Amino acid sequence: MFQGMDYVYEVYKERSFSKAAKNLFISQPSLSAAVKKAEQKIGFPIFDRSSSPIRLTELGKEYIRSIEIIMDVENGFRNYVQDTQDMQTGCVSIGGTNFYASYVLPPLLSRFTEKYPHIQVNLIEAYTTRLTDMLFSGTLDLLIDNQAMDPAIYGKRFFCEEHLLLVVPSHFVSNQPVRNYALTATDIRENRHLNSRIPPIPLETFQNDPFLLLKSGNDTRTRADKICHHARFTPKIRFELEQQITAYNLSRCGIGISFCGDTLICHMPEGQNLLYYKLDNRDAIRDVNFYYKRNRYMTKIINEFLNLI
């Protein structure tokens, strides 16, 4: 009944027969025939082809859930076999958003591959929602992120504490009365913003300026909304964006104010035309963790990477 499930699952992930066929290195007619055969086997359609992009039918949703259970079992056994080979072979898949994949993970992966040159490391870069789906389905072993994930489903290994700061273009006239609150990128790299003697900014100072916020559902956006609400104003949003690093770069170009973590600021080029402000709010502090799915077999490879960090 689950013959050809890899083909079905690829179509489900891509929401497209053409994209899935390209990923699988087969022709689209061959893929369509394989999926049709699976549908004939169970007696019901898996996909609703009348919508664009295609969607799962109700039975298709249950079929995908069953596939993911089978994949978990297969991956668990494969990982067990790899462990018996004492880390001479095997692979680990690690995911992160653009910022983590570009700046945080590379030195960690370099250290790991230097120590274990025979282990294949797959680095997956995508949005958090996509990465979370992959972690849940078992196609991803580890996910580094700053959002809190359901502890009943996911375990975690602490990586660092992150502090959100207000990033303001230096030419904004609103900076003038609060210059004594301002910090530089060098101050952030030297952790001066963590000094209790550094005063937090009265956020309402910038309530008339344009803000660059992430889209709803993102942890940074949720925290930014709470911080602004606590300051008793609704920000004037110029752009809603997908990535924190995009908001930061737009701030560098003088387009608006953004909320960015000190983890990101410490990895970015010196922002000569930016000023940074400490925020007095519990929602400005969060943890960055490596997440893994609890019910999956934890291989020696995964444990060794987590121990390395």
Side-chain angles (χ1 to χ4, degrees):
M1 185 168 289
F2 294 101
Q3 184 179 4
M5 68 178 189
D6 292 341
Y7 290 164
V8 173
Y9 199 74
E10 193 66 30
V11 175
Y12 156 69
K13 288 194 302 180
E14 294 294 344
R15 303 292 196 273
S16 163
F17 277 89
S18 59
K19 290 180 181 178
K22 184 177 180 180
N23 294 345
L24 293 165
F25 301 102
I26 62 173
S27 67
Q28 185 172 335
S30 296
L31 177 59
S32 297
V35 173
K36 196 69 177 178
K37 186 175 181 180
E39 291 176 320
Q40 291 171 348
K41 188 78 174 178
I42 61 178
F44 292 93
I46 297 171
F47 296 105
D48 177 1
R49 295 165 173 80
S50 65
S51 63
S52 182
I54 59 172
R55 296 180 300 177
L56 291 169
T57 62
E58 286 303 312
L59 185 137
K61 293 176 183 177
E62 188 59 37
Y63 187 88
I64 291 298
R65 280 194 287 268
S66 299
I67 285 178
E68 290 177 340
I69 292 171
I70 294 171
M71 290 169 65
D72 264 349
V73 173
E74 288 183 341
N75 288 335
F77 181 72
R78 185 182 302 112
N79 290 334
Y80 175 80
V81 172
Q82 289 175 355
D83 274 358
T84 65
Q85 298 171 334
D86 200 24
M87 296 188 65
Q88 292 304 306
T89 62
C91 66
V92 58
S93 296
I94 304 170
T97 58
N98 177 270
F99 165 66
Y100 290 116
S102 299
Y103 296 96
V104 177
L105 287 173
L108 299 176
L109 298 181
S110 177
R111 286 162 53 197
F112 183 78
T113 54
E114 183 178 355
K115 187 174 182 180
Y116 299 105
H118 301 296
I119 302 300
Q120 178 184 341
V121 179
N122 299 320
L123 176 59
I124 312 298
E125 177 186 346
Y127 297 133
T128 296
T129 51
R130 174 73 178 124
L131 293 168
T132 303
D133 288 343
M134 294 178 69
L135 186 64
F136 183 82
S137 70
T139 54
L140 197 65
D141 296 309
L142 294 170
L143 164 60
I144 181 172
D145 207 84
N146 52 33
Q147 74 169 7
M149 298 178 66
D150 188 345
I153 301 175
Y154 304 102
K156 65 184 179 182
R157 183 72 63 89
F158 175 78
F159 181 65
C160 70
E161 184 177 80
E162 182 175 61
H163 294 250
L164 286 177
L165 294 144
L166 198 69
V167 181
V168 183
S170 57
H171 73 270
F172 278 21
V173 295
S174 304
N175 289 300
Q176 294 177 6
V178 291
R179 281 278 177 170
N180 58 317
Y181 292 88
L183 298 165
T184 66
T186 300
D187 291 330
I188 307 305
R189 293 190 181 97
E190 295 178 357
N191 290 327
R192 291 176 188 165
H193 62 296
L194 304 181
N195 191 324
S196 59
R197 290 178 294 180
I198 301 296
I201 187 69
L203 190 61
E204 60 273 16
T205 303
F206 301 102
Q207 61 183 306
N208 294 319
D209 291 311
F211 277 74
L212 309 166
L213 300 185
L214 301 192
K215 292 183 178 179
S216 296
N218 184 284
D219 183 73
T220 301
R221 171 61 183 272
T222 301
R223 291 172 183 271
D225 285 343
K226 290 179 179 179
I227 292 169
C228 291
H229 179 75
H230 185 262
R232 299 181 180 178
F233 77 93
T234 301
K236 297 179 178 179
I237 303 173
R238 187 163 188 180
F239 291 122
E240 288 185 299
L241 307 159
E242 294 280 2
Q243 300 269 0
Q244 186 184 151
I245 192 170
T246 307
Y248 180 82
N249 284 326
L250 288 173
S251 289
R252 287 181 66 197
C253 294
I255 294 174
I257 297 171
S258 59
F259 291 86
C260 294
D262 51 2
T263 312
L264 183 147
I265 294 167
C266 289
H267 285 84
M268 292 292 99
E270 186 77 28
Q272 299 290 346
N273 57 338
L274 291 174
L275 295 175
Y276 306 86
Y277 296 94
K278 183 176 178 178
L279 296 166
D280 183 22
N281 193 291
R282 63 183 181 181
D283 287 305
I285 303 174
R286 63 188 175 190
D287 290 343
V288 177
N289 297 295
F290 277 90
Y291 289 97
Y292 54 88
K293 196 175 180 186
R294 284 194 178 278
N295 64 356
R296 291 194 67 202
Y297 179 76
M298 287 287 286
T299 67
K300 290 180 181 178
I301 297 172
I302 297 173
N303 278 311
E304 189 59 28
F305 181 85
L306 292 174
N307 290 335
L308 178 143
I309 67 169

Short mmCIF file of all heavy atoms in Angstrom, two decimals, residues 40-66:
data_model
loop_
_atom_site.label_atom_id
_atom_site.label_comp_id
_atom_site.label_asym_id
_atom_site.label_seq_id
_atom_site.Cartn_x
_atom_site.Cartn_y
_atom_site.Cartn_z
N GLN A 40 -4.34 4.33 -6.92
CA GLN A 40 -5.16 3.20 -7.34
C GLN A 40 -5.05 2.05 -6.33
O GLN A 40 -6.03 1.34 -6.07
CB GLN A 40 -4.74 2.72 -8.73
CG GLN A 40 -5.09 3.72 -9.84
CD GLN A 40 -4.49 3.34 -11.17
OE1 GLN A 40 -3.62 2.46 -11.26
NE2 GLN A 40 -4.95 4.00 -12.24
N LYS A 41 -3.87 1.91 -5.74
CA LYS A 41 -3.63 0.84 -4.76
C LYS A 41 -4.52 1.03 -3.53
O LYS A 41 -5.07 0.06 -2.99
CB LYS A 41 -2.17 0.86 -4.36
CG LYS A 41 -1.73 -0.30 -3.49
CD LYS A 41 -1.52 -1.57 -4.30
CE LYS A 41 -0.94 -2.68 -3.45
NZ LYS A 41 -0.76 -3.93 -4.22
N ILE A 42 -4.66 2.28 -3.06
CA ILE A 42 -5.47 2.53 -1.86
C ILE A 42 -6.93 2.82 -2.21
O ILE A 42 -7.79 2.80 -1.33
CB ILE A 42 -4.88 3.68 -1.02
CG1 ILE A 42 -4.86 5.00 -1.81
CG2 ILE A 42 -3.49 3.34 -0.54
CD1 ILE A 42 -4.35 6.17 -1.01
N GLY A 43 -7.19 3.12 -3.47
CA GLY A 43 -8.57 3.31 -3.90
C GLY A 43 -9.12 4.71 -3.74
O GLY A 43 -10.32 4.94 -3.95
N PHE A 44 -8.27 5.67 -3.39
CA PHE A 44 -8.69 7.05 -3.22
C PHE A 44 -7.58 7.99 -3.68
O PHE A 44 -6.39 7.64 -3.63
CB PHE A 44 -9.01 7.35 -1.74
CG PHE A 44 -10.20 6.64 -1.20
CD1 PHE A 44 -10.07 5.42 -0.56
CD2 PHE A 44 -11.47 7.19 -1.35
CE1 PHE A 44 -11.17 4.75 -0.06
CE2 PHE A 44 -12.58 6.53 -0.85
CZ PHE A 44 -12.44 5.31 -0.20
N PRO A 45 -7.94 9.20 -4.10
CA PRO A 45 -6.90 10.17 -4.48
C PRO A 45 -6.16 10.69 -3.25
O PRO A 45 -6.77 10.92 -2.20
CB PRO A 45 -7.69 11.28 -5.18
CG PRO A 45 -9.06 11.19 -4.61
CD PRO A 45 -9.29 9.73 -4.35
N ILE A 46 -4.85 10.88 -3.38
CA ILE A 46 -4.03 11.44 -2.31
C ILE A 46 -3.98 12.96 -2.43
O ILE A 46 -3.98 13.68 -1.43
CB ILE A 46 -2.60 10.85 -2.36
CG1 ILE A 46 -2.65 9.34 -2.11
CG2 ILE A 46 -1.69 11.54 -1.35
CD1 ILE A 46 -1.32 8.64 -2.36
N PHE A 47 -3.96 13.44 -3.68
CA PHE A 47 -3.83 14.88 -3.93
C PHE A 47 -5.08 15.43 -4.61
O PHE A 47 -5.69 14.77 -5.45
CB PHE A 47 -2.62 15.16 -4.82
CG PHE A 47 -1.31 14.80 -4.19
CD1 PHE A 47 -0.63 13.66 -4.59
CD2 PHE A 47 -0.75 15.59 -3.20
CE1 PHE A 47 0.59 13.31 -4.02
CE2 PHE A 47 0.45 15.26 -2.61
CZ PHE A 47 1.13 14.12 -3.02
N ASP A 48 -5.42 16.66 -4.24
CA ASP A 48 -6.46 17.41 -4.93
C ASP A 48 -5.77 18.23 -6.00
O ASP A 48 -5.15 19.26 -5.72
CB ASP A 48 -7.19 18.31 -3.93
CG ASP A 48 -8.25 19.18 -4.60
OD1 ASP A 48 -8.43 19.06 -5.83
OD2 ASP A 48 -8.88 19.99 -3.91
N ARG A 49 -5.86 17.79 -7.23
CA ARG A 49 -5.14 18.43 -8.33
C ARG A 49 -5.86 19.65 -8.90
O ARG A 49 -5.34 20.32 -9.80
CB ARG A 49 -4.88 17.40 -9.45
CG ARG A 49 -3.94 16.26 -9.02
CD ARG A 49 -4.00 15.11 -10.02
NE ARG A 49 -3.03 14.07 -9.77
CZ ARG A 49 -3.17 13.11 -8.85
NH1 ARG A 49 -4.25 13.09 -8.08
NH2 ARG A 49 -2.24 12.18 -8.69
N SER A 50 -7.05 19.94 -8.39
CA SER A 50 -7.82 21.07 -8.91
C SER A 50 -7.35 22.40 -8.34
O SER A 50 -7.71 23.47 -8.85
CB SER A 50 -9.31 20.89 -8.59
OG SER A 50 -9.53 20.94 -7.19
N SER A 51 -6.53 22.36 -7.28
CA SER A 51 -6.04 23.59 -6.67
C SER A 51 -4.61 23.86 -7.11
O SER A 51 -3.91 22.96 -7.58
CB SER A 51 -6.09 23.48 -5.15
OG SER A 51 -5.25 22.44 -4.69
N SER A 52 -4.18 25.09 -6.96
CA SER A 52 -2.80 25.45 -7.29
C SER A 52 -2.24 26.35 -6.19
O SER A 52 -2.75 27.44 -5.97
CB SER A 52 -2.75 26.18 -8.64
OG SER A 52 -1.42 26.50 -8.98
N PRO A 53 -1.21 25.88 -5.45
CA PRO A 53 -0.55 24.57 -5.62
C PRO A 53 -1.46 23.42 -5.17
O PRO A 53 -2.46 23.66 -4.50
CB PRO A 53 0.67 24.69 -4.72
CG PRO A 53 0.26 25.66 -3.66
CD PRO A 53 -0.63 26.66 -4.34
N ILE A 54 -1.11 22.22 -5.56
CA ILE A 54 -1.93 21.06 -5.23
C ILE A 54 -1.97 20.87 -3.71
O ILE A 54 -1.04 21.25 -3.00
CB ILE A 54 -1.41 19.78 -5.92
CG1 ILE A 54 0.03 19.48 -5.50
CG2 ILE A 54 -1.54 19.88 -7.42
CD1 ILE A 54 0.52 18.14 -6.00
N ARG A 55 -3.07 20.27 -3.25
CA ARG A 55 -3.25 20.05 -1.82
C ARG A 55 -3.54 18.58 -1.56
O ARG A 55 -3.94 17.83 -2.46
CB ARG A 55 -4.39 20.90 -1.28
CG ARG A 55 -4.16 22.40 -1.36
CD ARG A 55 -5.35 23.16 -0.79
NE ARG A 55 -6.57 22.85 -1.53
CZ ARG A 55 -7.77 23.34 -1.21
NH1 ARG A 55 -7.90 24.14 -0.17
NH2 ARG A 55 -8.84 23.03 -1.93
N LEU A 56 -3.36 18.19 -0.30
CA LEU A 56 -3.71 16.83 0.10
C LEU A 56 -5.22 16.72 0.30
O LEU A 56 -5.86 17.65 0.78
CB LEU A 56 -3.01 16.46 1.41
CG LEU A 56 -1.49 16.29 1.37
CD1 LEU A 56 -0.94 16.20 2.79
CD2 LEU A 56 -1.10 15.05 0.58
N THR A 57 -5.77 15.57 -0.06
CA THR A 57 -7.14 15.26 0.32
C THR A 57 -7.13 14.86 1.80
O THR A 57 -6.07 14.70 2.40
CB THR A 57 -7.68 14.10 -0.53
OG1 THR A 57 -6.88 12.93 -0.27
CG2 THR A 57 -7.64 14.44 -2.01
N GLU A 58 -8.29 14.69 2.39
CA GLU A 58 -8.34 14.28 3.80
C GLU A 58 -7.68 12.92 3.98
O GLU A 58 -6.94 12.69 4.94
CB GLU A 58 -9.80 14.23 4.29
CG GLU A 58 -10.41 15.59 4.51
CD GLU A 58 -9.61 16.43 5.50
OE1 GLU A 58 -9.26 15.92 6.58
OE2 GLU A 58 -9.32 17.61 5.18
N LEU A 59 -7.94 11.99 3.05
CA LEU A 59 -7.27 10.70 3.12
C LEU A 59 -5.78 10.85 2.87
O LEU A 59 -4.95 10.17 3.48
CB LEU A 59 -7.88 9.72 2.11
CG LEU A 59 -7.32 8.29 2.19
CD1 LEU A 59 -8.44 7.28 2.08
CD2 LEU A 59 -6.27 8.05 1.11
N GLY A 60 -5.41 11.79 2.00
CA GLY A 60 -4.00 12.04 1.71
C GLY A 60 -3.24 12.50 2.93
O GLY A 60 -2.08 12.14 3.14
N LYS A 61 -3.89 13.32 3.78
CA LYS A 61 -3.25 13.78 5.02
C LYS A 61 -2.90 12.60 5.92
O LYS A 61 -1.82 12.55 6.52
CB LYS A 61 -4.16 14.76 5.75
CG LYS A 61 -4.37 16.08 5.02
CD LYS A 61 -5.36 16.97 5.76
CE LYS A 61 -5.63 18.26 4.99
NZ LYS A 61 -6.64 19.11 5.67
N GLU A 62 -3.82 11.65 6.02
CA GLU A 62 -3.56 10.48 6.85
C GLU A 62 -2.48 9.59 6.23
O GLU A 62 -1.67 8.99 6.93
CB GLU A 62 -4.86 9.68 7.04
CG GLU A 62 -4.75 8.55 8.05
CD GLU A 62 -4.35 9.03 9.43
OE1 GLU A 62 -4.79 10.13 9.85
OE2 GLU A 62 -3.55 8.31 10.09
N TYR A 63 -2.48 9.53 4.89
CA TYR A 63 -1.45 8.76 4.18
C TYR A 63 -0.07 9.33 4.47
O TYR A 63 0.88 8.59 4.75
CB TYR A 63 -1.75 8.81 2.68
CG TYR A 63 -0.86 7.91 1.83
CD1 TYR A 63 -1.20 6.59 1.60
CD2 TYR A 63 0.31 8.41 1.25
CE1 TYR A 63 -0.40 5.77 0.81
CE2 TYR A 63 1.12 7.59 0.47
CZ TYR A 63 0.76 6.28 0.26
OH TYR A 63 1.57 5.48 -0.51
N ILE A 64 0.06 10.67 4.45
CA ILE A 64 1.35 11.32 4.72
C ILE A 64 1.77 11.08 6.16
O ILE A 64 2.95 10.81 6.44
CB ILE A 64 1.27 12.83 4.43
CG1 ILE A 64 1.12 13.08 2.91
CG2 ILE A 64 2.51 13.56 4.96
CD1 ILE A 64 2.27 12.58 2.08
N ARG A 65 0.83 11.15 7.10
CA ARG A 65 1.17 10.87 8.51
C ARG A 65 1.71 9.45 8.66
O ARG A 65 2.66 9.21 9.40
CB ARG A 65 -0.06 11.07 9.40
CG ARG A 65 -0.34 12.53 9.73
CD ARG A 65 -1.34 12.65 10.86
NE ARG A 65 -2.69 12.32 10.42
CZ ARG A 65 -3.56 13.21 9.95
NH1 ARG A 65 -3.22 14.48 9.87
NH2 ARG A 65 -4.76 12.83 9.57
N SER A 66 1.11 8.51 7.94
CA SER A 66 1.57 7.12 8.01
C SER A 66 2.96 6.98 7.40
O SER A 66 3.81 6.25 7.91
CB SER A 66 0.58 6.21 7.27
OG SER A 66 -0.70 6.26 7.88
#
